[in-house]
Amino acid sequence: MTSSHRSPGQDATRGLLQAVSEDLGHDVGPEWQKAAVAVPRDHFLPDRIWADRDGRYRPVDRLTDAADWWSAAYALTPVVTQVNDGAEPDGPDDAWPSSSASHPSVVFRMLEGADIAPGAKVLHIGTGTGWDSGMISHRIGAADLVTVEVDHALADRAREALACLGHHPTVVCGDGRLGWGPRAPYDRVLATCSVRRVPPH
């Protein structure tokens, strides 16, 4: 692939991968490097994200704050993608994060630690933006991935973002604590959401 055919997101991904490798203390595996370049992080972020400024969350819009938006999209930090469960906050003191794109180093540490390889059936709980699921789908194929998201709006947006890049895993809107029985058993289960204990399902 020549540079003239690369998207800005793909170029930015290479810089992010270098930062992640330095943070992890080793190079990101070539299989996940390829997946990350194929599914750039910016593609999965909404046009409005939220930045923490002195303990208050303020919106950053891709159209009006392009430089700040792109900087946040490829920073080595989590990105808040939704506040107040999707409701418009009354003001900066009213905004609280309800969904985010995870810290990139955490994402790649999870993917490498799960030892995911083609042929594995994977259940991913906590679809969020769909970026993690996009990389998993690129690695093993969409047919072997089920990804579960409890928020209808987030599930729909992730499904659309994945489809735009040619990935069509099973995206379920539901409670991840219940798993997804129709495709069980799974070889790997990954969770990018908070749980107090591993649910029996």
Side-chain angles (χ1 to χ4, degrees):
M1 179 181 292
T2 63
S3 59
S4 61
H5 292 92
R6 291 203 302 258
S7 72
Q10 289 174 316
D11 285 331
T13 296
R14 289 174 167 82
L16 179 62
L17 287 168
Q18 181 176 353
V20 169
S21 294
E22 292 173 0
D23 193 35
L24 296 179
H26 65 269
D27 288 343
V28 173
E31 69 278 14
W32 295 117
Q33 291 189 36
K34 291 177 183 176
V37 171
V39 291
R41 193 184 194 208
D42 67 278
H43 176 79
F44 294 89
L45 299 179
D47 287 338
R48 184 169 68 164
I49 57 178
W50 297 80
D52 185 351
R53 296 290 185 267
D54 298 322
R56 294 181 176 182
Y57 288 91
R58 69 169 184 86
V60 179
D61 190 273
R62 186 197 300 245
L63 299 178
T64 59
D65 304 305
D68 285 350
W69 190 94
W70 275 94
S71 178
Y74 286 97
L76 200 63
T77 59
V79 176
V80 175
T81 55
Q82 183 196 74
V83 297
N84 299 24
D85 285 332
E88 191 67 26
D90 293 330
D93 292 329
D94 181 52
W96 48 271
S98 53
S99 188
S100 65
S102 301
H103 192 295
S105 295
V106 173
V107 171
F108 286 102
R109 184 178 290 116
M110 176 189 71
L111 294 174
E112 292 182 345
D115 191 24
I116 300 171
K121 289 178 60 180
V122 176
L123 173 65
H124 176 216
I125 299 169
T127 311
T129 65
W131 185 48
D132 305 17
S133 292
M135 289 192 284
I136 297 169
S137 181
H138 183 273
R139 173 76 173 131
I140 66 171
D144 287 326
L145 172 63
V146 175
T147 181
V148 182
E149 170 58 51
V150 70
D151 185 301
H152 283 276
L154 295 178
D156 289 345
R157 190 182 187 287
R159 186 183 295 109
E160 181 180 348
L162 288 160
C164 285
L165 293 180
H167 295 280
H168 302 276
T170 300
V171 180
V172 177
C173 182
D175 188 341
R177 292 177 299 176
L178 303 178
W180 183 246
R183 297 284 293 279
Y186 301 94
D187 301 299
R188 300 287 187 273
V189 178
L190 294 84
T192 49
C193 59
S194 298
V195 293
R196 295 183 183 276
R197 61 187 177 85
V198 177
H201 294 288

Short mmCIF file of all heavy atoms in Angstrom, two decimals, residues 90-160:
data_model
loop_
_atom_site.label_atom_id
_atom_site.label_comp_id
_atom_site.label_asym_id
_atom_site.label_seq_id
_atom_site.Cartn_x
_atom_site.Cartn_y
_atom_site.Cartn_z
N ASP A 90 -27.04 19.24 31.47
CA ASP A 90 -27.52 20.60 31.70
C ASP A 90 -26.39 21.62 31.69
O ASP A 90 -26.61 22.80 31.45
CB ASP A 90 -28.27 20.68 33.04
CG ASP A 90 -29.56 19.87 33.03
OD1 ASP A 90 -30.16 19.74 31.94
OD2 ASP A 90 -29.95 19.37 34.10
N GLY A 91 -25.18 21.17 31.95
CA GLY A 91 -24.03 22.06 31.96
C GLY A 91 -22.78 21.26 32.24
O GLY A 91 -22.84 20.03 32.43
N PRO A 92 -21.60 21.90 32.28
CA PRO A 92 -20.34 21.17 32.47
C PRO A 92 -20.27 20.43 33.80
O PRO A 92 -19.58 19.42 33.91
CB PRO A 92 -19.28 22.26 32.38
CG PRO A 92 -20.01 23.55 32.60
CD PRO A 92 -21.39 23.35 32.08
N ASP A 93 -20.99 20.91 34.81
CA ASP A 93 -20.97 20.23 36.10
C ASP A 93 -21.89 19.03 36.12
O ASP A 93 -21.86 18.23 37.06
CB ASP A 93 -21.38 21.20 37.21
CG ASP A 93 -20.34 22.30 37.44
OD1 ASP A 93 -19.16 22.01 37.23
OD2 ASP A 93 -20.73 23.42 37.81
N ASP A 94 -22.74 18.89 35.10
CA ASP A 94 -23.73 17.82 35.06
C ASP A 94 -23.26 16.62 34.23
O ASP A 94 -23.89 15.58 34.23
CB ASP A 94 -25.05 18.37 34.50
CG ASP A 94 -26.15 17.33 34.44
OD1 ASP A 94 -26.40 16.67 35.47
OD2 ASP A 94 -26.74 17.14 33.35
N ALA A 95 -22.17 16.76 33.50
CA ALA A 95 -21.71 15.69 32.60
C ALA A 95 -20.89 14.65 33.34
O ALA A 95 -19.94 14.98 34.05
CB ALA A 95 -20.90 16.30 31.46
N TRP A 96 -21.26 13.39 33.19
CA TRP A 96 -20.49 12.28 33.75
C TRP A 96 -20.34 11.21 32.67
O TRP A 96 -21.26 10.97 31.88
CB TRP A 96 -21.16 11.72 35.01
CG TRP A 96 -22.63 11.45 34.87
CD1 TRP A 96 -23.66 12.31 35.11
CD2 TRP A 96 -23.23 10.22 34.44
NE1 TRP A 96 -24.86 11.71 34.87
CE2 TRP A 96 -24.64 10.42 34.46
CE3 TRP A 96 -22.73 8.97 34.05
CZ2 TRP A 96 -25.55 9.43 34.08
CZ3 TRP A 96 -23.64 7.98 33.69
CH2 TRP A 96 -25.02 8.22 33.70
N PRO A 97 -19.17 10.58 32.58
CA PRO A 97 -18.92 9.62 31.50
C PRO A 97 -19.73 8.34 31.66
O PRO A 97 -19.79 7.77 32.75
CB PRO A 97 -17.42 9.35 31.61
CG PRO A 97 -17.07 9.68 33.02
CD PRO A 97 -18.00 10.76 33.45
N SER A 98 -20.35 7.91 30.57
CA SER A 98 -21.12 6.66 30.59
C SER A 98 -20.62 5.65 29.57
O SER A 98 -21.04 4.50 29.58
CB SER A 98 -22.62 6.94 30.37
OG SER A 98 -22.84 7.71 29.21
N SER A 99 -19.73 6.06 28.68
CA SER A 99 -19.08 5.11 27.77
C SER A 99 -17.80 5.75 27.25
O SER A 99 -17.71 6.97 27.14
CB SER A 99 -19.99 4.74 26.60
OG SER A 99 -19.42 3.69 25.83
N SER A 100 -16.82 4.91 26.98
CA SER A 100 -15.56 5.44 26.48
C SER A 100 -14.85 4.41 25.62
O SER A 100 -15.14 3.21 25.68
CB SER A 100 -14.65 5.85 27.64
OG SER A 100 -14.28 4.72 28.41
N ALA A 101 -13.93 4.91 24.80
CA ALA A 101 -12.99 4.05 24.09
C ALA A 101 -11.82 3.82 25.05
O ALA A 101 -11.21 4.78 25.53
CB ALA A 101 -12.52 4.72 22.81
N SER A 102 -11.53 2.58 25.33
CA SER A 102 -10.54 2.24 26.35
C SER A 102 -9.15 2.75 26.00
O SER A 102 -8.84 3.04 24.84
CB SER A 102 -10.48 0.72 26.53
OG SER A 102 -11.72 0.21 26.92
N HIS A 103 -8.31 2.85 27.01
CA HIS A 103 -6.90 3.21 26.83
C HIS A 103 -6.28 2.23 25.82
O HIS A 103 -6.40 1.01 25.98
CB HIS A 103 -6.17 3.11 28.16
CG HIS A 103 -4.82 3.71 28.18
ND1 HIS A 103 -3.78 3.21 27.42
CD2 HIS A 103 -4.31 4.77 28.87
CE1 HIS A 103 -2.69 3.92 27.64
NE2 HIS A 103 -2.98 4.89 28.52
N PRO A 104 -5.64 2.73 24.77
CA PRO A 104 -5.10 1.83 23.74
C PRO A 104 -4.17 0.75 24.29
O PRO A 104 -4.20 -0.40 23.83
CB PRO A 104 -4.36 2.78 22.80
CG PRO A 104 -5.09 4.07 22.94
CD PRO A 104 -5.47 4.14 24.40
N SER A 105 -3.31 1.09 25.25
CA SER A 105 -2.40 0.08 25.80
C SER A 105 -3.17 -1.04 26.49
O SER A 105 -2.79 -2.21 26.40
CB SER A 105 -1.42 0.72 26.78
OG SER A 105 -0.57 1.64 26.13
N VAL A 106 -4.26 -0.69 27.17
CA VAL A 106 -5.09 -1.71 27.82
C VAL A 106 -5.71 -2.62 26.77
O VAL A 106 -5.78 -3.85 26.93
CB VAL A 106 -6.17 -1.04 28.69
CG1 VAL A 106 -7.15 -2.08 29.22
CG2 VAL A 106 -5.54 -0.27 29.84
N VAL A 107 -6.18 -2.02 25.67
CA VAL A 107 -6.79 -2.80 24.60
C VAL A 107 -5.80 -3.82 24.04
O VAL A 107 -6.11 -5.02 23.92
CB VAL A 107 -7.30 -1.88 23.47
CG1 VAL A 107 -7.74 -2.70 22.26
CG2 VAL A 107 -8.45 -1.01 23.97
N PHE A 108 -4.61 -3.37 23.69
CA PHE A 108 -3.64 -4.29 23.08
C PHE A 108 -3.11 -5.30 24.09
O PHE A 108 -2.83 -6.45 23.72
CB PHE A 108 -2.51 -3.51 22.41
CG PHE A 108 -2.94 -2.85 21.13
CD1 PHE A 108 -3.22 -1.50 21.09
CD2 PHE A 108 -3.09 -3.60 19.98
CE1 PHE A 108 -3.63 -0.89 19.92
CE2 PHE A 108 -3.50 -3.00 18.79
CZ PHE A 108 -3.77 -1.64 18.77
N ARG A 109 -2.99 -4.90 25.35
CA ARG A 109 -2.59 -5.87 26.37
C ARG A 109 -3.64 -6.98 26.49
O ARG A 109 -3.31 -8.17 26.62
CB ARG A 109 -2.39 -5.17 27.71
CG ARG A 109 -1.86 -6.11 28.81
CD ARG A 109 -1.64 -5.37 30.11
NE ARG A 109 -0.52 -4.44 30.03
CZ ARG A 109 -0.61 -3.12 30.14
NH1 ARG A 109 -1.78 -2.55 30.31
NH2 ARG A 109 0.47 -2.36 30.07
N MET A 110 -4.91 -6.60 26.45
CA MET A 110 -6.00 -7.57 26.52
C MET A 110 -5.99 -8.49 25.30
O MET A 110 -6.08 -9.72 25.43
CB MET A 110 -7.34 -6.84 26.60
CG MET A 110 -8.55 -7.76 26.59
SD MET A 110 -10.12 -6.86 26.44
CE MET A 110 -10.01 -6.28 24.73
N LEU A 111 -5.84 -7.92 24.11
CA LEU A 111 -5.87 -8.72 22.90
C LEU A 111 -4.70 -9.71 22.86
O LEU A 111 -4.87 -10.88 22.51
CB LEU A 111 -5.83 -7.81 21.67
CG LEU A 111 -7.06 -6.92 21.45
CD1 LEU A 111 -6.82 -5.96 20.29
CD2 LEU A 111 -8.31 -7.75 21.21
N GLU A 112 -3.51 -9.24 23.24
CA GLU A 112 -2.36 -10.13 23.23
C GLU A 112 -2.48 -11.20 24.32
O GLU A 112 -2.17 -12.38 24.08
CB GLU A 112 -1.07 -9.33 23.43
CG GLU A 112 -0.73 -8.44 22.25
CD GLU A 112 0.57 -7.68 22.42
OE1 GLU A 112 1.10 -7.60 23.55
OE2 GLU A 112 1.08 -7.16 21.41
N GLY A 113 -2.96 -10.80 25.49
CA GLY A 113 -3.08 -11.76 26.58
C GLY A 113 -4.12 -12.84 26.32
O GLY A 113 -3.99 -13.96 26.83
N ALA A 114 -5.13 -12.51 25.52
CA ALA A 114 -6.18 -13.50 25.22
C ALA A 114 -5.72 -14.55 24.22
O ALA A 114 -6.40 -15.57 24.05
CB ALA A 114 -7.42 -12.79 24.69
N ASP A 115 -4.60 -14.30 23.56
CA ASP A 115 -4.04 -15.28 22.62
C ASP A 115 -5.10 -15.71 21.60
O ASP A 115 -5.39 -16.89 21.43
CB ASP A 115 -3.50 -16.50 23.38
CG ASP A 115 -2.68 -17.42 22.50
OD1 ASP A 115 -2.15 -16.94 21.48
OD2 ASP A 115 -2.60 -18.63 22.82
N ILE A 116 -5.67 -14.72 20.93
CA ILE A 116 -6.72 -14.97 19.94
C ILE A 116 -6.09 -15.31 18.60
O ILE A 116 -5.24 -14.57 18.11
CB ILE A 116 -7.63 -13.74 19.80
CG1 ILE A 116 -8.29 -13.41 21.13
CG2 ILE A 116 -8.69 -13.97 18.73
CD1 ILE A 116 -9.02 -12.09 21.13
N ALA A 117 -6.51 -16.40 18.02
CA ALA A 117 -5.99 -16.82 16.72
C ALA A 117 -7.15 -17.27 15.83
O ALA A 117 -8.23 -17.62 16.33
CB ALA A 117 -5.00 -17.97 16.91
N PRO A 118 -6.96 -17.23 14.51
CA PRO A 118 -8.01 -17.70 13.61
C PRO A 118 -8.47 -19.11 13.98
O PRO A 118 -7.66 -19.97 14.34
CB PRO A 118 -7.32 -17.68 12.25
CG PRO A 118 -6.29 -16.60 12.37
CD PRO A 118 -5.79 -16.70 13.78
N GLY A 119 -9.78 -19.30 13.93
CA GLY A 119 -10.36 -20.58 14.31
C GLY A 119 -10.99 -20.54 15.68
O GLY A 119 -11.80 -21.41 16.02
N ALA A 120 -10.64 -19.53 16.49
CA ALA A 120 -11.22 -19.39 17.83
C ALA A 120 -12.59 -18.73 17.74
O ALA A 120 -12.81 -17.84 16.91
CB ALA A 120 -10.30 -18.57 18.72
N LYS A 121 -13.51 -19.15 18.60
CA LYS A 121 -14.81 -18.50 18.74
C LYS A 121 -14.71 -17.56 19.94
O LYS A 121 -14.35 -17.99 21.03
CB LYS A 121 -15.91 -19.54 18.95
CG LYS A 121 -16.23 -20.37 17.71
CD LYS A 121 -17.29 -21.41 18.01
CE LYS A 121 -18.58 -20.77 18.48
NZ LYS A 121 -19.64 -21.79 18.77
N VAL A 122 -15.04 -16.29 19.70
CA VAL A 122 -14.82 -15.26 20.71
C VAL A 122 -16.12 -14.57 21.08
O VAL A 122 -16.91 -14.19 20.21
CB VAL A 122 -13.81 -14.21 20.21
CG1 VAL A 122 -13.65 -13.09 21.22
CG2 VAL A 122 -12.45 -14.87 19.93
N LEU A 123 -16.32 -14.38 22.39
CA LEU A 123 -17.40 -13.57 22.92
C LEU A 123 -16.77 -12.31 23.51
O LEU A 123 -15.94 -12.40 24.41
CB LEU A 123 -18.19 -14.32 24.00
CG LEU A 123 -19.25 -13.50 24.75
CD1 LEU A 123 -20.36 -13.05 23.80
CD2 LEU A 123 -19.82 -14.31 25.91
N HIS A 124 -17.17 -11.17 23.00
CA HIS A 124 -16.64 -9.88 23.49
C HIS A 124 -17.78 -9.14 24.17
O HIS A 124 -18.78 -8.81 23.52
CB HIS A 124 -16.08 -9.06 22.33
CG HIS A 124 -15.62 -7.70 22.74
ND1 HIS A 124 -15.75 -6.59 21.94
CD2 HIS A 124 -15.02 -7.26 23.88
CE1 HIS A 124 -15.26 -5.53 22.55
NE2 HIS A 124 -14.81 -5.92 23.73
N ILE A 125 -17.65 -8.88 25.45
CA ILE A 125 -18.68 -8.19 26.21
C ILE A 125 -18.25 -6.74 26.43
O ILE A 125 -17.17 -6.49 26.95
CB ILE A 125 -18.92 -8.90 27.56
CG1 ILE A 125 -19.39 -10.33 27.32
CG2 ILE A 125 -19.94 -8.14 28.40
CD1 ILE A 125 -19.40 -11.19 28.56
N GLY A 126 -19.12 -5.82 26.02
CA GLY A 126 -18.80 -4.40 26.13
C GLY A 126 -18.32 -3.84 24.81
O GLY A 126 -17.20 -3.33 24.72
N THR A 127 -19.16 -3.91 23.79
CA THR A 127 -18.78 -3.49 22.44
C THR A 127 -18.30 -2.05 22.40
O THR A 127 -17.31 -1.73 21.75
CB THR A 127 -19.98 -3.64 21.48
OG1 THR A 127 -20.56 -4.93 21.63
CG2 THR A 127 -19.56 -3.42 20.04
N GLY A 128 -19.03 -1.16 23.09
CA GLY A 128 -18.66 0.25 23.08
C GLY A 128 -18.63 0.82 21.68
O GLY A 128 -19.59 0.71 20.92
N THR A 129 -17.50 1.39 21.29
CA THR A 129 -17.38 2.00 19.95
C THR A 129 -17.31 0.94 18.85
O THR A 129 -17.64 1.23 17.70
CB THR A 129 -16.11 2.86 19.85
OG1 THR A 129 -14.96 2.02 19.96
CG2 THR A 129 -16.09 3.94 20.92
N GLY A 130 -16.84 -0.25 19.19
CA GLY A 130 -16.67 -1.30 18.19
C GLY A 130 -15.23 -1.46 17.72
O GLY A 130 -14.92 -2.36 16.94
N TRP A 131 -14.31 -0.60 18.22
CA TRP A 131 -12.92 -0.67 17.76
C TRP A 131 -12.28 -2.01 18.12
O TRP A 131 -11.67 -2.67 17.27
CB TRP A 131 -12.11 0.48 18.33
CG TRP A 131 -10.69 0.57 17.82
CD1 TRP A 131 -10.28 0.50 16.52
CD2 TRP A 131 -9.52 0.75 18.60
NE1 TRP A 131 -8.91 0.63 16.45
CE2 TRP A 131 -8.41 0.79 17.71
CE3 TRP A 131 -9.28 0.90 19.97
CZ2 TRP A 131 -7.11 0.95 18.14
CZ3 TRP A 131 -7.97 1.07 20.40
CH2 TRP A 131 -6.89 1.10 19.48
N ASP A 132 -12.43 -2.43 19.37
CA ASP A 132 -11.87 -3.72 19.78
C ASP A 132 -12.44 -4.84 18.93
O ASP A 132 -11.71 -5.72 18.44
CB ASP A 132 -12.19 -4.02 21.26
CG ASP A 132 -11.75 -2.93 22.21
OD1 ASP A 132 -11.48 -1.80 21.77
OD2 ASP A 132 -11.69 -3.21 23.40
N SER A 133 -13.76 -4.81 18.76
CA SER A 133 -14.42 -5.86 17.97
C SER A 133 -13.94 -5.83 16.52
O SER A 133 -13.81 -6.89 15.88
CB SER A 133 -15.93 -5.68 18.01
OG SER A 133 -16.43 -5.95 19.30
N GLY A 134 -13.68 -4.64 15.99
CA GLY A 134 -13.18 -4.54 14.63
C GLY A 134 -11.83 -5.22 14.47
O GLY A 134 -11.60 -5.93 13.48
N MET A 135 -10.94 -5.02 15.44
CA MET A 135 -9.64 -5.67 15.36
C MET A 135 -9.76 -7.18 15.52
O MET A 135 -9.07 -7.94 14.83
CB MET A 135 -8.69 -5.06 16.39
CG MET A 135 -8.25 -3.65 16.02
SD MET A 135 -6.87 -3.04 17.03
CE MET A 135 -7.73 -2.68 18.57
N ILE A 136 -10.63 -7.61 16.43
CA ILE A 136 -10.83 -9.06 16.60
C ILE A 136 -11.41 -9.67 15.33
O ILE A 136 -10.99 -10.73 14.88
CB ILE A 136 -11.74 -9.34 17.82
CG1 ILE A 136 -11.08 -8.86 19.10
CG2 ILE A 136 -12.07 -10.83 17.91
CD1 ILE A 136 -12.00 -8.85 20.31
N SER A 137 -12.40 -8.98 14.75
CA SER A 137 -13.02 -9.46 13.52
C SER A 137 -11.99 -9.56 12.39
O SER A 137 -11.99 -10.53 11.62
CB SER A 137 -14.17 -8.52 13.11
OG SER A 137 -14.79 -8.97 11.94
N HIS A 138 -11.10 -8.58 12.30
CA HIS A 138 -10.06 -8.62 11.28
C HIS A 138 -9.13 -9.81 11.52
O HIS A 138 -8.68 -10.46 10.56
CB HIS A 138 -9.25 -7.33 11.30
CG HIS A 138 -8.19 -7.25 10.25
ND1 HIS A 138 -6.92 -7.76 10.43
CD2 HIS A 138 -8.23 -6.74 9.00
CE1 HIS A 138 -6.21 -7.56 9.34
NE2 HIS A 138 -6.97 -6.94 8.46
N ARG A 139 -8.88 -10.12 12.77
CA ARG A 139 -7.94 -11.20 13.11
C ARG A 139 -8.53 -12.58 12.86
O ARG A 139 -7.85 -13.46 12.32
CB ARG A 139 -7.55 -11.06 14.60
CG ARG A 139 -6.71 -12.20 15.17
CD ARG A 139 -5.29 -12.13 14.72
NE ARG A 139 -4.48 -13.12 15.41
CZ ARG A 139 -3.64 -13.95 14.79
NH1 ARG A 139 -3.51 -13.91 13.48
NH2 ARG A 139 -2.93 -14.82 15.48
N ILE A 140 -9.78 -12.81 13.24
CA ILE A 140 -10.34 -14.18 13.19
C ILE A 140 -11.48 -14.34 12.19
O ILE A 140 -11.89 -15.46 11.91
CB ILE A 140 -10.83 -14.64 14.57
CG1 ILE A 140 -12.03 -13.80 15.04
CG2 ILE A 140 -9.69 -14.60 15.59
CD1 ILE A 140 -12.70 -14.34 16.30
N GLY A 141 -12.00 -13.24 11.67
CA GLY A 141 -13.16 -13.31 10.80
C GLY A 141 -14.44 -13.05 11.57
O GLY A 141 -14.59 -13.49 12.72
N ALA A 142 -15.34 -12.32 10.97
CA ALA A 142 -16.56 -11.90 11.65
C ALA A 142 -17.45 -13.06 12.08
O ALA A 142 -18.17 -12.97 13.08
CB ALA A 142 -17.35 -10.95 10.75
N ALA A 143 -17.41 -14.15 11.35
CA ALA A 143 -18.30 -15.27 11.64
C ALA A 143 -18.03 -15.89 13.01
O ALA A 143 -18.93 -16.52 13.59
CB ALA A 143 -18.16 -16.34 10.56
N ASP A 144 -16.83 -15.71 13.54
CA ASP A 144 -16.47 -16.33 14.81
C ASP A 144 -16.51 -15.35 15.99
O ASP A 144 -16.01 -15.66 17.07
CB ASP A 144 -15.08 -16.96 14.72
CG ASP A 144 -15.08 -18.22 13.87
OD1 ASP A 144 -16.09 -18.94 13.90
OD2 ASP A 144 -14.07 -18.46 13.17
N LEU A 145 -17.11 -14.18 15.79
CA LEU A 145 -17.15 -13.17 16.84
C LEU A 145 -18.58 -12.79 17.18
O LEU A 145 -19.37 -12.46 16.30
CB LEU A 145 -16.38 -11.92 16.41
CG LEU A 145 -16.49 -10.70 17.34
CD1 LEU A 145 -15.91 -11.00 18.72
CD2 LEU A 145 -15.80 -9.48 16.71
N VAL A 146 -18.90 -12.83 18.48
CA VAL A 146 -20.14 -12.25 19.01
C VAL A 146 -19.73 -11.15 19.96
O VAL A 146 -18.89 -11.35 20.85
CB VAL A 146 -20.98 -13.30 19.76
CG1 VAL A 146 -22.21 -12.65 20.41
CG2 VAL A 146 -21.41 -14.42 18.83
N THR A 147 -20.31 -9.97 19.79
CA THR A 147 -19.99 -8.84 20.65
C THR A 147 -21.27 -8.27 21.23
O THR A 147 -22.25 -8.07 20.51
CB THR A 147 -19.16 -7.78 19.89
OG1 THR A 147 -18.85 -6.70 20.77
CG2 THR A 147 -19.88 -7.27 18.66
N VAL A 148 -21.29 -8.05 22.55
CA VAL A 148 -22.51 -7.69 23.27
C VAL A 148 -22.37 -6.30 23.89
O VAL A 148 -21.37 -6.00 24.55
CB VAL A 148 -22.80 -8.72 24.39
CG1 VAL A 148 -24.10 -8.37 25.11
CG2 VAL A 148 -22.89 -10.13 23.81
N GLU A 149 -23.40 -5.48 23.67
CA GLU A 149 -23.43 -4.12 24.20
C GLU A 149 -24.82 -3.86 24.81
O GLU A 149 -25.83 -4.14 24.17
CB GLU A 149 -23.15 -3.10 23.09
CG GLU A 149 -23.38 -1.65 23.44
CD GLU A 149 -22.56 -1.19 24.64
OE1 GLU A 149 -21.33 -1.40 24.64
OE2 GLU A 149 -23.16 -0.62 25.58
N VAL A 150 -24.86 -3.33 26.02
CA VAL A 150 -26.13 -3.14 26.72
C VAL A 150 -26.90 -1.91 26.23
O VAL A 150 -28.12 -1.86 26.34
CB VAL A 150 -25.88 -3.03 28.25
CG1 VAL A 150 -25.18 -1.72 28.60
CG2 VAL A 150 -27.16 -3.21 29.03
N ASP A 151 -26.20 -0.93 25.65
CA ASP A 151 -26.82 0.32 25.21
C ASP A 151 -27.24 0.20 23.74
O ASP A 151 -26.40 -0.02 22.87
CB ASP A 151 -25.82 1.47 25.40
CG ASP A 151 -26.39 2.84 25.10
OD1 ASP A 151 -26.84 3.05 23.95
OD2 ASP A 151 -26.37 3.70 25.99
N HIS A 152 -28.54 0.38 23.47
CA HIS A 152 -29.04 0.22 22.09
C HIS A 152 -28.34 1.15 21.11
O HIS A 152 -27.94 0.73 20.02
CB HIS A 152 -30.55 0.48 22.05
CG HIS A 152 -31.38 -0.65 22.57
ND1 HIS A 152 -31.73 -1.73 21.79
CD2 HIS A 152 -31.92 -0.88 23.79
CE1 HIS A 152 -32.46 -2.58 22.49
NE2 HIS A 152 -32.58 -2.09 23.72
N ALA A 153 -28.22 2.43 21.48
CA ALA A 153 -27.62 3.41 20.57
C ALA A 153 -26.17 3.06 20.27
O ALA A 153 -25.72 3.16 19.12
CB ALA A 153 -27.73 4.82 21.16
N LEU A 154 -25.42 2.65 21.29
CA LEU A 154 -24.02 2.29 21.08
C LEU A 154 -23.90 1.03 20.22
O LEU A 154 -23.03 0.95 19.34
CB LEU A 154 -23.32 2.08 22.41
CG LEU A 154 -23.17 3.31 23.32
CD1 LEU A 154 -22.49 2.92 24.63
CD2 LEU A 154 -22.40 4.42 22.61
N ALA A 155 -24.77 0.05 20.46
CA ALA A 155 -24.74 -1.18 19.67
C ALA A 155 -25.02 -0.88 18.20
O ALA A 155 -24.33 -1.39 17.30
CB ALA A 155 -25.75 -2.18 20.22
N ASP A 156 -26.01 -0.04 17.95
CA ASP A 156 -26.36 0.30 16.56
C ASP A 156 -25.21 1.05 15.88
O ASP A 156 -24.88 0.78 14.72
CB ASP A 156 -27.62 1.16 16.53
CG ASP A 156 -28.88 0.38 16.89
OD1 ASP A 156 -28.84 -0.86 16.88
OD2 ASP A 156 -29.91 1.03 17.17
N ARG A 157 -24.60 1.97 16.61
CA ARG A 157 -23.51 2.74 16.01
C ARG A 157 -22.30 1.87 15.73
O ARG A 157 -21.66 1.98 14.68
CB ARG A 157 -23.11 3.91 16.92
CG ARG A 157 -22.16 4.86 16.23
CD ARG A 157 -21.70 6.01 17.12
NE ARG A 157 -20.92 6.95 16.33
CZ ARG A 157 -19.68 6.74 15.90
NH1 ARG A 157 -19.08 5.61 16.22
NH2 ARG A 157 -19.04 7.64 15.17
N ALA A 158 -21.98 0.97 16.66
CA ALA A 158 -20.85 0.07 16.46
C ALA A 158 -21.10 -0.86 15.27
O ALA A 158 -20.21 -1.09 14.46
CB ALA A 158 -20.59 -0.74 17.72
N ARG A 159 -22.32 -1.38 15.18
CA ARG A 159 -22.67 -2.27 14.06
C ARG A 159 -22.48 -1.55 12.73
O ARG A 159 -21.93 -2.11 11.77
CB ARG A 159 -24.11 -2.75 14.21
CG ARG A 159 -24.53 -3.80 13.19
CD ARG A 159 -25.99 -4.18 13.35
NE ARG A 159 -26.26 -4.83 14.62
CZ ARG A 159 -26.93 -4.27 15.62
NH1 ARG A 159 -27.41 -3.03 15.51
NH2 ARG A 159 -27.15 -4.94 16.74
N GLU A 160 -22.92 -0.29 12.68
CA GLU A 160 -22.79 0.49 11.44
C GLU A 160 -21.32 0.78 11.12
O GLU A 160 -20.89 0.66 9.96
CB GLU A 160 -23.56 1.80 11.58
CG GLU A 160 -23.50 2.68 10.35
CD GLU A 160 -24.29 3.97 10.52
OE1 GLU A 160 -25.06 4.09 11.49
OE2 GLU A 160 -24.11 4.88 9.68
#
